[in-house]
Amino acid sequence: QQEKLGWTAKAPRWAIAFKFAARQAETEIENIDVNVGRTGALTPVAFLKPVAVGGVTVSRATLHNEDEIERLGVQIGDTVLVERSGDVIPKVVRVVRPGENRRRFEMPSQCPVCGGEVVREPGESARRCINTNCPARLKESVRHFAARGVMDIDGMGDVLVEQLVDKGLVSNVADVYDLTAEQLAGLDRMAEKSAAKVWENIQKSRKSALPRVLNGLGIPFVGERTAQILSETFGSLDAIAGADLDRLQAAEEVGPKVADSIYHFFREPRNLELVERLRAAGLTFTHEQKRAVGPLTGKTFVLTGTLPNLTREDAKARIEAAGGKVSGSVSKKTHFVVAGEEAGSKLAKAEALQVPVIDESTLLDMLK
């Protein structure tokens, strides 16, 4: 059952962690302000009268979006119950007492950072600044690009990014590769040795693999795992950029919403200009397939049902060791479906598409 449920990029789908109830405390909301994120999303943040919660002094808590504010019925001046969700993230649980002089908070109609237009798309809970040159969006984009799980530019933290954007040295992530050690050394709190180290890390990041580069572009809904899947499926950034919606959705775990986001990202002229600048900087645009060569090279398999002797992980490992690929869904490009007991919808789809269906013993013969 665990193998059938599988894993996400971060956790197994078959496990639940039960935690102690979060510790709570009462405090007053002194003000509500708005942060602008990497995708332009405006997030309301409650500024609280400092209060100790579980050994930590909490003075701010996210309110997520205007729908959450409406649900809580919270206003400036109210006394609220605050907890640290998961013993980490401060969260407003509910209003304890309405304030005597409470004031209603209204989401801004213009971006509080750049003054640009703010829109709320149908079906979305967040309002977004649509100005791609918004300084707040830019700072978050550069922070994301330099992060450890992305391009891994060690030393490019919040303080450095703030200065780079404020001084006009970086107006998009591609500008990072035009920086010199001298420019970095001229910034506040940056000695020559530190600047040289950051510059070296920037140069080192040029060799990052395609999944990291793809993640670094900041395409909505494309994180570490999706970037890896896209890189393995298409083999190059150009192939991903040129794919239509149907081709994108054929990739494993890519649904209509993600496919639509990728498709439209690569049809925006400013994004294409960014891609070309990163190409000129020498970043990796192709995915190196490190697949074994063997009797199953070039063949794609889908596993369904319970096999007599092999676990699904064993079967997958053997197929990949023999040069084959294991996919999670059946398509016209599937070469074989390996079916065991209680095979479900994948078997039905294989039959509909006339994909050959084999059993465990046939697979073992092919592996020889």
Side-chain angles (χ1 to χ4, degrees):
Q1 288 174 331
Q2 290 177 1
E3 287 159 3
K4 284 181 180 179
L5 288 167
W7 285 256
T8 66
K10 296 181 179 179
R13 291 193 180 98
W14 45 265
I16 296 175
F18 288 92
K19 300 181 180 181
F20 292 107
R23 282 166 282 193
Q24 301 176 328
E26 292 184 12
T27 187
E28 183 183 326
I29 293 184
E30 297 181 324
N31 198 9
I32 298 176
D33 205 350
V34 173
N35 284 343
V36 182
R38 175 169 57 91
T39 62
L42 273 61
T43 304
V45 177
F47 285 76
L48 310 168
K49 185 174 287 185
V51 62
V53 183
V56 174
T57 301
V58 173
S59 58
R60 293 198 303 176
T62 179
L63 291 170
H64 301 290
N65 52 61
E66 56 192 301
D67 289 347
E68 179 69 359
I69 292 176
E70 191 69 28
R71 186 188 70 80
L72 290 168
V74 69
Q75 296 187 25
I76 298 166
D78 288 351
T79 297
V80 294
L81 190 66
V82 177
E83 70 179 25
R84 289 172 61 214
S85 183
D87 265 348
V88 180
I89 303 167
K91 173 186 175 182
V92 175
V93 180
R94 60 182 172 85
V95 175
V96 177
R97 287 186 305 279
E100 289 184 11
N101 300 307
R102 64 196 312 233
R103 289 182 289 119
R104 187 178 178 83
F105 171 77
E106 297 287 345
M107 289 291 287
S109 58
Q110 292 181 306
C111 175
V113 177
C114 71
E117 184 183 356
V118 170
V119 299
R120 181 176 177 179
E121 297 290 343
E124 287 203 0
S125 59
R127 291 177 184 259
R128 296 182 189 276
C129 168
I130 60 173
N131 175 18
T132 55
N133 294 316
C134 174
R137 292 187 62 176
L138 176 58
K139 288 174 184 177
E140 290 299 325
S141 294
V142 177
R143 288 189 187 103
H144 171 75
F145 188 81
R148 184 177 298 174
V150 189
M151 299 303 285
D152 195 19
I153 304 176
D154 191 29
M156 191 169 282
D158 291 353
V159 175
L160 180 55
V161 170
E162 289 274 345
Q163 292 191 73
L164 290 172
V165 174
D166 291 344
K167 293 181 182 294
L169 294 173
V170 170
S171 57
N172 67 42
V173 295
D175 289 338
V176 168
Y177 294 101
D178 293 333
L179 293 170
T180 65
E182 290 75 20
Q183 285 175 317
L184 292 167
L187 299 173
D188 296 340
R189 291 190 282 177
M190 282 292 285
E192 282 190 21
K193 192 172 181 180
S194 299
K197 188 64 179 174
V198 172
W199 186 83
E200 286 174 12
N201 291 336
I202 291 172
Q203 308 318 308
K204 194 186 301 180
S205 74
R206 295 177 193 261
K207 298 178 181 178
S208 297
L210 177 59
R212 286 177 176 264
V213 177
L214 190 59
N215 188 4
L217 290 175
I219 305 170
F221 313 120
V222 175
E224 185 177 343
R225 178 168 173 78
T226 303
Q228 183 71 38
I229 289 169
L230 290 167
S231 299
E232 290 177 352
T233 303
F234 291 92
S236 73
L237 188 63
D238 292 336
I240 297 167
D244 60 20
L245 287 169
D246 289 340
R247 181 75 184 93
L248 288 166
Q249 285 190 58
E252 190 177 354
E253 297 184 29
V254 175
K257 191 173 182 179
V258 178
D260 187 68
S261 176
I262 298 165
Y263 179 83
H264 284 99
F265 179 90
F266 287 111
R267 270 117 195 114
E268 165 59 49
R270 283 172 292 192
N271 293 337
L272 294 177
E273 183 183 338
L274 171 63
V275 167
E276 289 309 310
R277 288 195 59 197
L278 292 175
R279 189 196 304 274
L283 271 66
T284 305
F285 273 44
T286 56
H287 184 71
E288 184 182 349
Q289 298 285 356
K290 297 181 179 178
R291 202 168 283 140
V293 176
L296 303 186
T297 297
K299 304 295 183 186
T300 300
F301 293 76
V302 171
L303 305 171
T304 183
T306 305
L307 301 178
N309 301 298
L310 299 175
T311 66
R312 194 166 299 195
E313 287 304 311
D314 287 339
K316 181 181 178 182
R318 293 197 188 195
I319 290 168
E320 291 177 345
K325 177 186 174 184
V326 177
S327 175
S329 57
V330 180
S331 70
K332 291 180 180 179
K333 295 189 176 181
T334 305
H335 292 93
F336 297 97
V337 170
V338 184
E341 289 184 19
E342 298 181 16
S345 59
K346 292 177 184 177
L347 176 59
K349 189 169 183 180
E351 291 169 346
L353 294 174
Q354 297 184 328
V355 175
V357 178
I358 62 174
D359 58 13
E360 181 188 277
S361 61
T362 305
L363 172 64
L364 293 173
D365 288 338
M366 293 172 73
L367 288 166
K368 294 175 184 176

